[in-house]
Amino acid sequence: MLIGVPKEIKVHEYRVGLTPHSVAELTALGHRVWVETQAGDGIGFSDADYQAAGAQIAASAAEVFANARLLVKVKEPQRSERALLGPQHCLFTYLHLAPDRAQTEELLASGATCIAYETVTDRHGGLPLLAPMSEVAGRMAIQAGASCLEKAHGGRGVLLGGVPGVPAGKVVILGAGVVGSQALAMAVGLGAQVSVLDCNLDTLRRLDARYGNRITTLYSTGSSVREQVLGADLVIGSVLIPGAAAPKLISVEMVRQMLPGAVLVDVAIDQGGCAETSRPTTHAEPTYVVDEVVHYCVANMPGAVARTSTLALNNATLPFVIALAGKGSRRALEEDPHLLDGLNVARGVLTCSHVAASHNLPYQPAREVLQQL
């Protein structure tokens, strides 16, 4: 298989689709890999490292796209990259199409086969390719929130852990999935007062059994979310419906009534965000203020710790890349129903029902489209 790894071009995105170790695994199996020059420079992987692993170095993204059939990336293709896609390509990356109609339409027009990391499943019903970055983002959410709470960054001037004689800051976590549970662990470790809301009682029981009276677990309803958010120093938005736009749990009116200088870290921003006031930001300009509430809505949070994130992501994606390269996309998808769950777009057809519902577009079940690949 001809495999391509372009350099990521999203603002302050230093992750890379394949590490030199992953490339070495693929070339040992007889595959040819093109890596765009300097693709890994930002996290200490040089062109020489990739060449030693058996890769060929391409001078530009255009050269990578021209030579490769399987493209392995991290973030969704930007407009200039989408212009290089064609029916011959299989794209394997994060897509997050539900809040992004422009990308959805351009991927459909390209004719490419597009498999989204975030909707690939496992036999337990989990999302194995989303989980590593969710773990990173959950841990980072508390770090980012603690920093934003400092007065110099527009926050309330609250230390999350407090000090003797002064109460700890109040952290509210909406959603107790991978992001929420990782954020919870970090917040508890800092000594914050933590409340976590979820609509899965089994999840709340598990967290209660682990943390006991160090946290408060609450069933998520409109009134419980409102009550907790209005009294919080830091709110972590970590709700997820796989493949679909995030539900809007925090209204404009609620933001107006939050504590002045409170912070909202909306980790759900990749799927549109869970607050009506949320909009994507970048690592270059990570925050903005609405009604005296600091919003941190960076759409690629794990990119800030790009080396850790790349290594963690490759641990999860490499077996799927090997399958796609060794079997071809059609056979790999036919033989693995969990990988098939990741198919979002194929040959001009939308194959993810949640994305179709978000944009009011027609779709076909993925298995019906396989014969066209």
Side-chain angles (χ1 to χ4, degrees):
M1 176 66 76
L2 309 177
I3 304 167
V5 183
K7 183 178 181 179
E8 298 294 325
I9 58 174
K10 195 161 187 170
V11 176
H12 286 289
E13 181 55 76
Y14 304 105
R15 289 175 290 179
V16 62
L18 293 175
T19 65
H21 290 300
S22 295
V23 169
E25 292 291 319
L26 291 161
T27 56
L29 293 170
H31 304 297
R32 298 176 65 187
V33 183
W34 277 265
V35 178
E36 184 178 353
T37 185
Q38 300 182 333
D41 275 8
I43 52 174
F45 298 136
S46 68
D47 287 356
D49 293 330
Y50 280 106
Q51 288 174 314
Q56 295 176 253
I57 302 301
S60 65
E63 185 178 349
V64 171
F65 279 71
N67 281 300
R69 294 298 174 265
L70 172 61
L71 294 161
V72 183
K73 281 178 43 60
V74 178
K75 289 306 293 176
E76 70 278 1
Q78 304 301 291
R79 178 154 289 170
S80 62
E81 296 173 307
R82 299 197 292 266
L84 298 172
L85 285 169
Q88 74 276 22
H89 290 127
C90 176
L91 173 66
F92 193 38
T93 189
Y94 289 115
L95 292 176
H96 299 292
L97 294 178
D100 192 343
R101 188 179 181 98
Q103 184 194 178
T104 302
E105 291 177 342
E106 290 178 27
L107 292 182
L108 288 169
S110 75
T113 298
C114 304
I115 304 170
Y117 292 162
E118 72 272 12
T119 59
V120 173
T121 59
D122 62 24
R123 66 180 183 276
H124 306 295
L127 303 170
L129 306 190
L130 187 61
M133 297 304 93
S134 295
E135 290 168 345
V136 172
R139 295 183 179 210
M140 286 188 64
I142 299 300
Q143 291 182 190
S147 177
C148 290
L149 276 169
E150 297 174 12
K151 286 298 292 184
H153 298 149
R156 285 171 52 75
V158 170
L159 181 66
L160 284 183
V163 293
V166 180
K170 181 176 180 181
V171 177
V172 172
I173 300 171
L174 304 179
V178 177
V179 171
S181 61
Q182 294 296 315
L184 175 61
M186 293 290 284
V188 169
L190 287 175
Q193 303 177 61
V194 188
S195 297
V196 57
L197 292 85
D198 200 280
C199 55
N200 186 321
L201 285 174
D202 288 336
T203 297
L204 295 178
R205 290 189 182 102
R206 174 178 55 80
L207 294 175
D208 182 74
R210 177 176 179 182
Y211 294 102
N213 60 9
R214 289 183 292 170
I215 67 171
T216 299
T217 58
L218 295 166
Y219 188 78
S220 181
T221 64
S223 59
S224 63
V225 168
R226 179 185 180 85
E227 179 181 356
Q228 293 299 310
V229 166
L230 296 192
D233 296 303
L234 171 60
V235 177
I236 307 296
S238 57
V239 293
L240 172 69
I241 300 173
K248 300 295 185 186
L249 301 184
I250 302 173
S251 66
V252 171
E253 182 264 337
M254 287 169 63
V255 171
R256 290 197 191 103
Q257 296 183 58
M258 289 174 68
L259 298 173
V263 174
L264 167 63
V265 177
D266 198 342
V267 187
I269 195 65
D270 276 323
Q271 295 295 119
C274 65
E276 291 181 346
T277 50
S278 292
R279 56 176 173 79
T281 62
T282 67
H283 289 292
E285 297 182 45
T287 65
Y288 60 92
V289 177
V290 176
D291 292 320
E292 298 185 82
V293 175
V294 180
H295 290 57
Y296 180 101
C297 304
V298 175
N300 59 329
M301 286 179 66
V305 287
R307 186 178 177 92
T308 295
S309 297
T310 294
L311 293 169
L313 182 60
N314 268 238
N315 289 341
T317 58
L318 182 58
F320 293 98
V321 175
I322 290 173
L324 286 165
K327 301 176 181 179
S329 58
R330 177 176 168 178
R331 183 178 159 206
L333 290 163
E334 284 178 336
E335 294 183 359
D336 186 346
H338 302 299
L339 181 61
L340 185 61
D341 285 336
L343 186 65
N344 279 210
V345 173
R347 297 294 176 94
V349 177
L350 195 56
T351 59
C352 178
S353 60
H354 288 302
V355 174
S358 293
H359 301 305
N360 194 27
L361 291 171
Y363 102 105
Q364 285 182 252
R367 192 160 292 281
E368 293 181 8
V369 181
L370 284 181
Q371 301 305 313
Q372 301 174 33
L373 301 185

